Amino acid sequence: MTIYSVHSICCIGAGYVGGPTMAVIADRCPHITVTVVDLNDSRIEAWNNPDLNQLPIYEPGLEAVISRARGRNLFFSTSVNEAIASADMVFISVNTPTKNKGIGAGQASDLRWVEACARQVAQYAQGHTVVIEKSTLPVRTAAVIKAILDTPQCQPGENEALPTFSVLSNPEFLAEGTAIRDLEQPDRVLIGGDDEVAVDALSTIYSYWVPTEKILRTNLWSSELSKLIANAFLAQRISSINSVAALCESTGADVREVALAIGTDSRIGSKFLSAGPGFGGSCFKKDILNLVYLCRHFSLPEVAAYWEQVIELNNWQQNRIAGLLVQRLFGTVTGKRLAILGFAFKADTNDTRESPAISISLDLLEEGAQLAIHDPKVDPLQIARDLHKSPSNSSAGLNGEGTWQFSPTVRDAVQGADAVLILTEWDQYRKLNWQELAEIMRAPAWVFDTRSVVDPVEIAEAGLLMWRLGEGVD
Ligand code: NAD
Ligand code: UGA
């Protein structure tokens, strides 16, 4: 039996997944040359920046991995064709966003970048190449990739053999903010495919640092579907606990106590039970929409409606926050300064994709608020893109126009504010000196905590009013 010996890996897509995933493979397998390629020059330039603080993504632990492997056996490049030609294994790790027009718009995944990669691999690969789906994809995409790869792109020369391919699915389960830990100590690695030799080759790579019993093998379709279902189950838990938070607020119960009470049941488990302003991130919404689309495609409308409700509840949760705040600030926030603490969709990342902070800030701007936004890692230019609006250093006052500015420190943001709204659970927000902050706010001043990061006793002692998500009043 042939055993593929892997000396060279190419990963197409140097994003949040491609970059860290390949960095860890290169770190753990110094005998394999790993080249991460992307069409985006500035992204590749940032991955090659000698200043590790300028890497294109922020992930705890990433700098150390990059500094060990980069230039040794890990390379970032825009030479896509060359990297494909010299690779034994090609990972496709490109973006698969929701389609915004045409058939399936608003639900189906846009596979144009995946298809482009498959065509490029078909054209430039040499010999036998194992092609691996790392992107999250609709079930049966591997069949599409295989069909493209198996169509000869050009006639081989007289003594040249046509390239051959095996296609595997190897979805990624890392979460942003904990990517390096998730990659170094994964709960499992999933490999789907029917070419045992190719599966063995990929499994061998992971086995350099992942215990064999954690490397699961399935057929292609189970692997592709499991990725969508894992995200759907995780998102479903968040919508479930957020629905309970609203019920707690109305009944005098406390969602933290309810989460503890149910989470200690080992059948339920304690993880993913933190109520919050709604889930964000680039994937939960997109992957559930994709799942809903697939269910409809396979004539399962009841199943589609079931999963769709997870997103509807999440939209409702994000939308209700601004309304609650306006209601408590005497029914208007026009001309009022509001400090927004946290803009990333979760702590320990600079990613703002689908962050609840975006829709909540837009709702408050619509109400005429003057937002002072702080985030320790998000670039103010990204905030401007997300809010479709430039920052303004002058406040528009009572003329009704909402404005925003970026505040480099929490103290700057809170200075003169009527309220603080905490939207991301950055660790530094757990350690704020509320006595000092209360002195620079305009009374009666409020703290709105959607992430359960502040101590209610400290807030009360500082003379501040407080609303916490999921906390009922007696
Ligand atoms: P991303 O947008 O950060 O990165 C994708 C990169 O692919 C971009 O830099 C883009 O320029 C590049 N690209 C697109 N087409 C290309 C082509 N033809 N040739 C070369 N480069 C090309 O996306 P991401 O967050 O890394 O996600 C990638 C995939 O992984 C998605 O399917 C996503 O659902 C999945 N995923 C993401 C996460 C996450 O935490 N972000 C976790 C698990 C799975
Ligand atoms: C999620 C999954 O956790 C990963 O396994 C998956 O690989 C990834 O999506 C993906 O496919 O992209 P990620 O979105 O990076 O990872 O981060 P999560 O930790 O899952 O958080 C997602 C959102 O849910 C965040 O907005 C977070 O604040 C929110 N959340 C999470 C809660 O509101 N409560 C919780 O208890 C947990």
Side-chain angles (χ1 to χ4, degrees), residues 17 59 136 172-178 182 188 227 230-231 234-235 237-238 241-242 270-284 286-287 314 344-347 349 351 353-356 423-425 451:
V17 170
E59 272 301 330
T136 303
E172 185 47 61
F173 296 100
L174 68 79
E176 289 178 30
T178 53
D182 296 342
R188 80 306 207 182
K227 173 61 197 176
N231 274 358
L234 291 168
R237 269 174 84 93
I238 301 170
I241 200 69
N242 283 341
S270 61
K271 292 182 181 165
F272 263 67
L273 284 180
S274 302
F279 57 77
S282 61
C283 293
F284 279 174
K286 132 179 123 58
D287 292 348
N314 195 54
F345 79 95
K346 62 184 282 196
T349 177
D351 195 349
R353 293 179 287 180
E354 299 291 337
S355 175
L423 293 179
T424 312
E425 71 285 21
R451 293 287 194 171

Side-chain angles (χ1 to χ4, degrees), residues 145-322:
I145 294 178
K146 189 93 175 85
I148 294 171
L149 294 174
D150 287 346
T151 307
Q153 301 296 303
C154 52
Q155 284 308 315
E158 212 172 302
N159 293 322
E160 279 174 6
L162 275 175
T164 53
F165 301 96
S166 308
V167 179
L168 303 180
S169 159
N170 172 220
E172 185 47 61
F173 296 100
L174 68 79
E176 289 178 30
T178 53
I180 299 302
R181 194 188 67 205
D182 296 342
L183 288 164
E184 289 183 336
Q185 297 159 42
D187 285 349
R188 80 306 207 182
V189 165
L190 179 57
I191 303 176
D194 47 20
D195 176 343
E196 286 300 319
V197 183
V199 173
D200 282 347
L202 183 55
S203 176
T204 302
I205 293 174
Y206 283 111
S207 66
Y208 281 99
W209 75 98
V210 180
T212 322
E213 64 276 14
K214 289 192 173 184
I215 303 175
L216 310 182
R217 296 167 179 232
T218 66
N219 76 31
L220 272 167
W221 322 129
S222 303
S223 174
E224 289 177 332
L225 185 59
S226 298
K227 173 61 197 176
L228 295 183
I229 299 302
N231 274 358
F233 266 61
L234 291 168
Q236 179 199 43
R237 269 174 84 93
I238 301 170
S239 280
S240 297
I241 200 69
N242 283 341
S243 76
V244 173
L247 190 58
C248 287
E249 289 159 27
S250 302
T251 56
D254 184 319
V255 73
R256 286 150 287 269
E257 292 178 352
V258 175
L260 178 70
I262 63 167
T264 42
D265 183 327
S266 60
R267 293 168 304 173
I268 297 176
S270 61
K271 292 182 181 165
F272 263 67
L273 284 180
S274 302
F279 57 77
S282 61
C283 293
F284 279 174
K285 186 172 163 191
K286 132 179 123 58
D287 292 348
I288 296 176
L289 286 170
N290 185 0
L291 182 62
V292 167
Y293 183 75
L294 283 172
C295 295
R296 294 229 161 89
H297 174 80
F298 290 108
S299 304
L300 296 166
E302 290 79 7
V303 184
Y306 174 78
W307 289 110
E308 205 161 28
Q309 193 56 33
V310 171
I311 295 181
E312 279 174 26
L313 198 290
N314 195 54
N315 292 339
W316 174 78
Q317 178 75 348
Q318 295 191 4
N319 290 339
R320 79 188 183 96
I321 306 285

Side-chain angles (χ1 to χ4, degrees), residues 342-404:
F343 205 80
F345 79 95
K346 62 184 282 196
D348 292 327
T349 177
N350 59 345
D351 195 349
T352 64
R353 293 179 287 180
E354 299 291 337
S355 175
I358 300 173
S359 60
I360 295 169
S361 298
L362 287 172
D363 287 347
L364 293 169
L365 287 172
E366 183 68 19
E367 293 289 328
Q370 320 287 292
L371 305 182
I373 303 176
H374 173 268
D375 190 286
K377 291 291 175 194
V378 175
D379 184 339
L381 289 172
Q382 184 58 45
I383 301 178
R385 281 193 287 272
D386 289 335
L387 299 181
H388 318 293
K389 200 175 162 84
S390 306
S392 159
N393 283 326
S394 59
S395 70
L398 296 179
N399 73 5
E401 199 210 329
T403 65
W404 74 274

Side-chain angles (χ1 to χ4, degrees), residues 15-17 38 43 94-96 113 136 172 176 286 353:
Y16 282 86
V17 170
D38 205 296
R43 208 163 209 186
V94 298
N95 35 322
T96 51
W113 293 277
T136 303
E172 185 47 61
E176 289 178 30
K286 132 179 123 58
R353 293 179 287 180

